[in-house]
Amino acid sequence: MAVQQPPWSLPTQKDTEPVLKVYNSLTRTKTEFVPIVGRHVKWYNCGPTVYDSSHMGHARNYVTQDILRRIMTDYFGYDVHFVMNITDIDDKIILRARHNHLVSELRSETSALTKELLEEVLAAWVSYVQSKVVKGLAESDRLPSGKERETWPTLMQHFQDKAWKQLGLQKDEKFEMHFNAANATYNALVQAEEQRRSSQTDVELAHALIDASKDVLALALDKQYGNTVSDHTIFRSLAAYWEGEFFKDMRRLRVRDPDTLTRVTEYVPEIVSFVEGIVKNGYGYEVDGSVYFDTRTFDKADNHSYAKLEPWSKGNLELLEEGEGALSTTTGRRSPADFALWKASKPGEPSWPSQWGPGRPGWHIECSVMASAVFGDNMDIHSGGIDLAFPHHDNEMAQSEAYHNCSTWVNYFIHTGHLHIEGLKMSKSLKNFITIDEILQKYSARQLRLAFLTQLWNSKVDFSESLMTGEVRGIEIAFNNFFTNVKALVSQAEADGPKLDDKNHLQDAERELTDSLHASQAAFRAALCDSFNTPEAINVLRDLVSRTNVYLKLPGSNVEIALVQRVTRWIGDMLRMFGLGEGDLVEIGWGQERSADEGNINREEVLMPYLRTLSSFRDGVRRLAIAKGDSALKDILTLCDKLRDVDLVPLGVALDDQEDGKALVKLVSPAELIKARDEKRAQAEAKAARKAAAAEAERQKRLAALEKGRLPPQEMYRPPNVPEGTYGSWDENGIPLTDSEGKELSKSAGKKVQKEWTLQKKRHEEFLEWQKQAQ
C-alpha cells in the first residue's frame, strides 16, 4: 500500500475580518458595501460649476472624496472607475459671463470720467439698493425713493452695529454682501464726483469707478443689454478658463484626476435624446419650448419614489427654486416641485437645437445623462456635497429611474459635510469664501488634508486657525520627528553593519512591539471599515508611533532596527495611502516635499557617506577631549561645535549628541536648522552684548574715578587748581593754613580741607599705581 499523507482539515478562523460599511444617505445608516460586479466599483462624483475661483468648500469636498477613493483603491483594493463631470453651461455661468462681458465693454468704450458715466453708475446704485439691499432692512430703515443718497450715510452708521447687521442677515443671508457692494459703489461715486469737480477726468479715474462698481453695474447692464449677448464663445471661454484653474488647484492639493471626465457641452445631443425618453415614458411634459419633469406622476407610479434622499424637503420652495437657477421661468408647470429637463433659451443665452425648439439643458439632467452614458442604468456610488442632496441629487435619481424604468439608479449615495470657517458657513454666492490659492499660501496641501482626515468625512468641518496651528500642526510635527529619528537610526545601523553577537534579539520588548503592530493593523482596518472613520485611523497610527518611541527609549536595550523599520514603513504606507505622501515612495515615512532645484536627487544617498565620516571624526575628537579633561583641549570641543552648528547646518544636517557618545545624524530642512541656529545665536549675541555693555560701563566708571586722582594732593589747593587769592599760606603738604586775608582757617574749614586732602591723596596713590601697571 502506497504511503499517504495524513488527513488535513480546514482551519477554524478565530477572529472574522470586519466588512466595509458605508454611511449611505439613502438609508441614513451605515450599510454593508456590496458592489454589483465583483470588485469593480462604478463611482460618479458631481464636479464643479466653473465660473469663479475654487475655494475651501471645493477643497473640503474634493480632497475628502479623493481620500475615500484612495481608501477604496489603495487600501481595500477595489477596481474603481471614477467619473466626474464639469458643469460648463449653467445659469451662473451665463450670468457671470454676460456680466463680465458687459462691464468689460463699458470699460473699453469709456475714455473719460464724464457726467453721463456718473449718472449711469448712480442709477445702477439706486436700483441695486432698492432691489437688493432693501431685502435685509427693517421697515423703519427703508430708504425713501429719490432720497437714497441722503439717507445712505445713516445706514453706514447702523451697519457698524453688530446687532443691527445681524438682524439684516436674519432677514436676508446675502445682506452683508449686498451692503458691501453698494457701499463700495457709493464711496467710489462720491470720490469720482469730487475728482470731476476738480477737473480730474482722466480715463484711469473712470476705469477705477467702473472697477469699484462692477458688482452693481453688472446687474443694471445685464438688465439693459443682457439679451444682446449671443456669442457662444463668451460663455465657453469663461468656463474653460475656470476649469483649467480648478484642476491646477486640485493638483496642488494632491487630488487625483478622475478616470473619466465629462463636460455638459459635449453631451447635448445625448441630453436631448434622454429627455425625449423621459417624455415618451410619461414623466415629462413640454411648456413653451421647455420640458419639465412631472414629479407627481413619477411619485405615484409603482416602484418609484420622488425625493428618496430628503422626502421632507419636497415642499421646500426656496430649495426648489434655487435648484432651477436665476434665469429660469416657472410659468406653466403642473407642480411647484416640477423641474426643468430642457430650458427654452431666451435672448442672451446659448442654445442648441431640439424638437422643442432652441434651448439648453436643465441643471439636474446633465449628471443623469453623462453617468448613464458611462455606466448604464445603475452605479455603485454617487457622491457630492451635502448641499446637493436636495433637490439636485433627488432630481437626478428621479429622472434617471424614469428614463431607465428602474427602481434603483444609485446603490450608495455619500455626501461630504458642510465646511464652516471660524464657525460661519462658507458660500461662493455670499462671497465670504477663501480661495484655494489663498489658503495654500498659509498652509501646505498636507496640512489641509490632515485637517480633513481628523474629522469625519460626512460631518460638518469647522476650519479654524486653532485647528491648524494646534491639532494639525501637532500631528504633523509628531510624525515628522518620528520618521526623522527612525531614518537616522536605520542609516546608523546600516553603517555599523549587522550584529553578530550570537544573541537572540527578539525579547519581550520586541514581542510587545510586534503585537502592537498587529493590533494596530487590525484596529486601522476596523476604523476604515466603519464608514471610513479616518479620525480613528489617524489615532491608531499616532498611538503606534508613541509605543514605538517608548520602545526606542527603553534603558539598556539593543534596538532591533529591522522591527522598527517594519513598523515605520507600515505607518508611512498608510499615511501615503491617505494622500499625505511626498517624494520617493521607497523612502521611509511619508516623505518631504522637495524644492524645484533639488529635482530627483536623494539627499540621503548622496550625503550620508560623507556625513558619517564627519560624524565619526567628531565623535573621536570629543571622546579624546573629554577623557583627558584638560582645559587646553577646549579648542577641540569648539571645533566640534563649529562642525555641528556652522558647517553642517546649510546642508540640512543636525547632529544630536547621545549618552553613549555617538551622535545621531538627522537630515532636516536647512531653512529650519538655519532659523533655529540664528535664533540661538541672536540670543547668545544679545546676552554677550549686554554683558559687554555692562563691563564697558564699569570700565568707564573706573577710568573716571582714576582720572580724579591725576592731581597730586600737594597742588590741589594751589592756583591754578583754585582761584588766585583763595588761600594765603600752606604747610609743607600743600594744606591751606590761612585764608586770602591772612586769617587762620576756622576749625571746621581746616577739618574740611584736611579731609578732602586725605581723600585726594588716596586717589592719587591709586592713579600712580594704575599708571605704573599700564607701563
Side-chain angles (χ1 to χ4, degrees):
M1 182 176 178
V3 177
Q4 295 182 340
Q5 289 180 297
W8 177 87
S9 58
L10 190 70
T12 302
Q13 195 172 41
K14 291 182 178 180
D15 293 316
T16 57
E17 183 177 304
V19 297
L20 173 60
K21 292 186 177 182
V22 178
Y23 184 86
N24 188 355
S25 296
L26 288 165
T27 63
R28 298 199 171 250
T29 60
K30 296 175 185 178
T31 54
E32 182 179 349
F33 180 70
V34 181
I36 294 298
V37 181
R39 299 194 67 78
H40 177 63
V41 176
K42 296 186 288 185
W43 186 338
Y44 184 87
N45 185 46
C46 271
T49 300
V50 283
Y51 68 99
D52 206 338
S53 299
S54 303
H55 54 67
M56 275 295 292
H58 290 117
R60 158 61 172 164
N61 184 40
Y62 295 109
V63 170
T64 300
Q65 299 289 357
D66 184 68
I67 290 169
L68 302 187
R69 178 186 175 191
R70 287 170 183 265
I71 293 171
M72 291 289 282
T73 57
D74 298 358
Y75 185 78
F76 288 118
Y78 286 105
D79 302 317
V80 174
H81 183 184
F82 192 85
V83 179
M84 189 181 79
N85 75 293
I86 292 291
T87 298
D88 59 351
I89 192 64
D90 171 84
D91 288 26
K92 293 175 182 177
I93 294 172
I94 294 169
L95 284 171
R96 179 62 61 85
R98 283 201 322 223
H99 290 177
N100 289 353
H101 173 71
L102 293 171
V103 171
S104 178
E105 270 199 336
L106 174 64
R107 203 175 189 278
S108 63
E109 293 168 359
T110 299
S111 57
L113 186 61
T114 63
K115 177 183 177 183
E116 291 74 20
L117 177 61
L118 293 174
E119 289 174 347
E120 184 174 4
V121 174
L122 176 59
W125 179 80
V126 170
S127 175
Y128 190 89
V129 168
Q130 292 294 9
S131 63
K132 300 293 184 182
V133 178
V134 72
K135 293 178 182 179
L137 297 178
E139 196 66 39
S140 57
D141 292 322
R142 298 287 175 92
L143 284 73
S145 180
K147 296 185 178 180
E148 292 85 1
R149 288 201 63 174
E150 293 85 338
T151 51
W152 186 257
T154 303
L155 279 190
M156 290 170 62
Q157 293 179 348
H158 288 332
F159 193 73
Q160 303 307 313
D161 183 344
K162 290 184 178 179
W164 185 87
K165 182 164 66 174
Q166 192 59 39
L167 288 174
L169 289 168
Q170 290 173 6
K171 293 175 69 68
D172 175 22
E173 65 173 0
K174 297 183 179 181
F175 174 62
E176 184 172 9
M177 178 187 76
H178 290 150
F179 190 95
N180 287 336
N183 200 46
T185 301
Y186 174 85
N187 291 331
L189 192 59
V190 170
Q191 182 180 12
E193 289 172 337
E194 179 62 34
Q195 290 165 341
R196 183 166 166 74
R197 282 194 291 271
S198 303
S199 300
Q200 300 177 58
T201 60
D202 295 347
V203 64
E204 291 82 6
L205 300 178
H207 287 172
L209 173 60
I210 293 171
D211 294 342
S213 310
K214 61 182 180 181
D215 289 341
V216 169
L217 273 171
L219 293 181
L221 291 170
D222 191 70
K223 187 175 181 180
Q224 192 171 2
Y225 304 111
N227 58 5
T228 66
V229 180
S230 57
D231 186 354
H232 268 221
T233 60
I234 291 172
F235 309 107
R236 187 69 195 98
S237 60
L238 176 82
Y241 172 79
W242 287 116
E243 178 187 329
E245 294 301 299
F246 169 80
F247 279 111
K248 286 180 186 176
D249 287 337
M250 291 302 104
R251 284 158 193 152
R252 291 171 69 191
L253 291 171
R254 310 295 189 265
V255 173
R256 289 174 175 170
D257 287 348
D259 298 318
T260 301
L261 180 69
T262 62
R263 298 181 184 86
V264 181
T265 52
E266 297 169 355
Y267 281 81
V268 175
E270 290 86 347
I271 290 173
V272 172
S273 297
F274 203 93
V275 174
E276 289 174 347
I278 293 173
V279 173
K280 182 180 178 181
N281 290 342
Y283 298 111
Y285 58 93
E286 184 263 342
V287 177
D288 297 331
S290 295
V291 181
Y292 295 96
F293 187 82
D294 192 334
T295 54
R296 287 177 179 170
T297 299
F298 178 81
D299 209 16
K300 292 176 182 177
D302 293 338
N303 297 321
H304 288 316
S305 294
Y306 176 63
K308 291 180 177 180
L309 291 168
E310 294 187 8
W312 49 86
S313 296
K314 283 182 183 180
N316 190 324
L317 296 180
E318 184 178 352
L319 289 176
L320 289 166
E321 294 307 317
E322 185 178 324
E324 289 304 279
L327 297 174
S328 297
T329 56
T330 58
T331 55
R333 291 186 303 175
R334 297 174 183 174
S335 165
D338 292 356
F339 54 90
L341 300 170
W342 181 260
K343 298 180 178 182
S345 291
K346 300 184 289 294
E349 299 175 6
S351 65
W352 288 263
S354 77
Q355 68 180 65
W356 312 285
R360 57 190 177 88
W363 176 35
H364 314 296
I365 194 69
E366 61 183 57
C367 290
S368 294
V369 174
M370 292 185 287
S372 295
V374 179
F375 293 141
D377 62 1
N378 179 261
M379 72 182 79
D380 296 294
I381 299 175
H382 193 322
S383 58
I386 187 61
D387 53 317
L388 297 179
F390 184 88
H392 184 55
H393 288 155
D394 269 323
N395 289 353
E396 273 188 49
M397 282 192 290
Q399 63 200 6
S400 299
E401 289 165 8
Y403 174 82
H404 293 295
N405 273 322
C406 65
S407 59
T408 303
W409 184 56
V410 175
N411 295 337
Y412 299 87
F413 239 119
I414 58 179
H415 290 104
T416 55
H418 281 303
L419 174 74
H420 287 219
I421 295 187
E422 300 293 350
L424 298 175
K425 182 183 175 184
M426 195 188 68
S427 167
K428 188 183 288 186
S429 64
L430 298 178
K431 294 190 177 180
N432 68 341
F433 61 91
I434 300 173
T435 67
I436 290 174
D437 184 63
E438 290 169 340
I439 206 68
L440 283 177
Q441 293 177 29
K442 194 170 186 179
Y443 305 111
S444 68
R446 173 183 284 168
Q447 289 169 338
L448 291 177
R449 190 169 285 247
L450 267 176
F452 299 139
L453 278 162
T454 57
Q455 304 188 51
L456 291 174
W457 60 272
N458 57 338
S459 65
K460 182 190 79 173
V461 170
D462 194 355
F463 187 87
S464 63
E465 184 83 14
S466 60
L467 170 69
M468 298 304 293
T469 59
E471 182 181 7
V472 169
R473 183 60 179 146
I475 293 172
E476 184 180 40
I477 289 173
F479 281 127
N480 273 335
N481 289 343
F482 175 69
F483 293 137
T484 300
N485 281 330
V486 171
K487 283 193 290 184
L489 290 169
V490 169
S491 179
Q492 184 172 288
E494 290 173 350
D496 293 342
K499 297 177 183 177
L500 302 175
D501 53 7
D502 298 329
K503 290 182 180 179
N504 178 2
H505 295 284
L506 292 177
Q507 300 299 318
D508 289 346
E510 285 72 31
R511 292 190 186 93
E512 185 177 340
L513 183 57
T514 301
D515 290 343
S516 293
L517 170 60
H518 296 159
S520 297
Q521 290 171 328
F524 188 84
R525 177 171 290 273
L528 295 188
C529 282
D530 183 22
S531 191
F532 313 115
N533 189 338
T534 57
E536 178 59 27
I538 292 292
N539 285 337
V540 169
L541 298 180
R542 294 174 69 185
D543 180 67
L544 184 57
V545 165
S546 298
R547 291 175 183 273
T548 309
N549 283 333
V550 169
Y551 169 76
L552 292 173
K553 294 176 182 177
L554 287 175
S557 65
N558 291 314
V559 170
E560 181 56 34
I561 199 64
L563 172 59
V564 173
Q565 190 170 359
R566 177 185 168 204
V567 171
T568 306
R569 282 201 178 278
W570 180 75
I571 294 171
D573 288 346
M574 294 306 98
L575 292 173
R576 287 180 180 275
M577 180 271 296
F578 284 140
L580 295 167
E582 298 282 359
D584 199 333
L585 287 174
V586 301
E587 182 180 0
I588 294 175
W590 59 5
Q592 295 296 325
E593 188 172 7
R594 293 175 182 167
S595 59
D597 53 355
E598 283 185 280
N600 294 321
I601 297 173
N602 188 318
R603 291 173 64 225
E604 290 189 54
E605 290 182 3
V606 173
L607 294 175
M608 269 301 181
Y610 307 99
L611 300 179
R612 290 195 200 98
T613 301
L614 286 172
S615 180
S616 297
F617 159 76
R618 181 174 175 275
D619 295 339
V621 172
R622 288 185 76 249
R623 279 195 297 271
L624 288 172
I626 294 170
K628 295 197 74 170
D630 194 328
S631 59
L633 296 177
K634 285 184 178 179
D635 289 343
I636 298 177
L637 292 175
T638 301
L639 188 63
C640 293
D641 291 339
K642 178 178 178 293
L643 179 68
R644 178 193 63 196
D645 300 333
V646 178
D647 300 334
L648 296 180
V649 166
L651 297 174
V653 181
L655 300 181
D656 283 359
D657 296 329
Q658 300 182 108
E659 291 181 359
D660 62 0
K662 293 183 178 181
L664 188 62
V665 183
K666 298 181 182 179
L667 287 178
V668 186
S669 165
E672 288 184 20
L673 282 180
I674 291 170
K675 182 180 178 182
R677 181 198 64 188
D678 290 350
E679 288 175 350
K680 184 177 179 181
R681 182 181 289 171
Q683 291 172 356
E685 288 174 351
K687 184 178 179 180
R690 289 193 297 270
K691 186 176 180 180
E696 177 62 17
E698 185 62 32
R699 190 181 73 84
Q700 292 296 334
K701 182 179 177 182
R702 170 73 174 155
L703 285 175
L706 289 169
E707 189 62 32
K708 289 181 180 180
R710 181 182 292 276
L711 181 68
Q714 294 84 357
E715 298 176 13
M716 66 182 292
Y717 291 116
R718 296 179 183 274
N721 299 308
V722 294
E724 190 74 41
T726 302
Y727 301 107
S729 61
W730 300 263
D731 67 9
E732 67 272 20
N733 293 321
I735 299 174
L737 298 174
T738 60
D739 61 14
S740 59
E741 296 176 356
K743 296 179 181 180
E744 186 177 349
L745 293 179
S746 66
K747 190 174 183 179
S748 61
K751 284 183 178 181
K752 181 179 180 182
V753 296
Q754 179 67 48
K755 183 179 180 181
E756 290 176 348
W757 185 92
T758 302
L759 177 62
Q760 185 62 22
K761 180 174 180 291
K762 182 180 179 182
R763 287 173 177 167
H764 187 62
E765 288 171 351
E766 289 175 353
F767 173 79
L768 292 176
E769 180 63 26
W770 171 76
Q771 205 171 44
K772 182 180 177 182
Q773 291 177 358
Q775 292 175 352

